[in-house]
């Protein structure tokens, strides 16, 4: 094990990790961050999505040592109970969750999408979220949440 420096949600961490430790395992097991979920372990379901330097990435397939000194943002780093991120609030307002397991990936992908495409079309939203599996059928509410977030970000109160 060698120390790995991770910058997560604006905080610096030095963790003794093996070269095989995934970013997801470091986040959940070593840092106690439970926003990113373990879903498939293959980078296909989206439940483990985090932002690495603002780009959506699947934490279950990224070795933690490969993202040293890069800015990692988890769901917990977007906002807090007193001040939610606009996207988090939009998902709540749209009631865009049923079981909630996909929610981390949907929110993080939406944040990444809106950072680059502030007024996405429905087709762009579907394309951006296509790699996130939701088995509950909250798809219409999720689409509404993304539209709400885009509107709120374009017209802040």
């Amino acid at each position: 094990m060698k120390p790995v420096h991770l910058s997560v949600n604006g905080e610096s961490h030095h963790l003794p990790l093996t070269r095989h430790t995934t970013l997801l395992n470091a986040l959940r097991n070593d840092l106690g961050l439970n926003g990113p979920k373990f879903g498939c372990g293959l980078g296909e379901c989206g439940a483990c999505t985090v932002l690495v330097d603002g780009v959506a990435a699947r934490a279950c397939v990224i070795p933690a040592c490969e993202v040293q000194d890069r800015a990692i943002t988890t769901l917990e780093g977007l906002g807090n109970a007193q001040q939610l991120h606009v996207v988090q609030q939009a998902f709540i307002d749209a009631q865009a969750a049923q079981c909630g397991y996909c929610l981390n990936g949907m929110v993080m992908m939406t944040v990444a999408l809106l950072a680059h495409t502030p007024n996405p079309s429905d087709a762009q939203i579907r394309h951006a979220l296509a790699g996130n599996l939701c088995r509950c059928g909250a798809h219409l509410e999720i689409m509404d949440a993304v539209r709400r977030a885009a509107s709120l970000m374009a017209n802040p109160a």
Side-chain angles (χ1 to χ4, degrees):
M1 282 196 221
K2 69 175 197 168
V4 174
H5 174 254
L6 296 178
S7 176
V8 181
N9 299 331
E11 295 183 17
S12 182
H13 303 275
H14 292 280
L15 304 171
L17 304 174
T18 70
R19 63 184 179 96
H20 299 292
T21 303
T22 65
L23 178 58
L24 179 62
N25 284 339
L27 293 171
R28 291 182 62 83
N29 299 341
D30 295 292
L31 299 180
L33 299 170
N34 294 315
K37 306 285 186 251
F38 182 88
C40 66
L42 301 170
E44 295 180 3
C45 74
C48 67
T49 303
V50 298
L51 301 178
V52 178
D53 293 336
V55 177
R58 305 299 168 98
C60 72
V61 294
I62 299 172
C65 62
E66 296 295 322
V67 291
Q68 287 195 86
D69 302 316
R70 296 178 70 187
I72 300 160
T73 306
T74 68
L75 187 68
E76 294 89 346
L78 293 180
N80 57 52
Q82 293 74 35
Q83 184 65 42
L84 294 174
H85 186 279
V86 172
V87 173
Q88 291 170 314
Q89 188 63 57
F91 270 73
I92 292 168
D93 293 346
Q95 298 180 9
Q98 288 185 33
C99 84
Y101 209 80
C102 74
L103 200 58
N104 174 77
M106 295 293 187
V107 168
M108 299 308 284
M109 288 300 298
T110 298
V111 170
L113 168 66
L114 296 179
H116 298 289
T117 310
N119 188 24
S121 66
D122 283 356
Q124 289 171 311
I125 296 169
R126 283 189 199 94
H127 179 74
L129 300 180
N132 292 285
L133 300 181
C134 172
R135 294 188 173 116
C136 295
H139 301 96
L140 296 176
E141 291 83 3
I142 291 169
M143 291 289 294
D144 182 43
V146 177
R147 286 188 217 103
R148 283 175 186 246
S151 177
L152 289 169
M153 290 173 84
N155 304 303

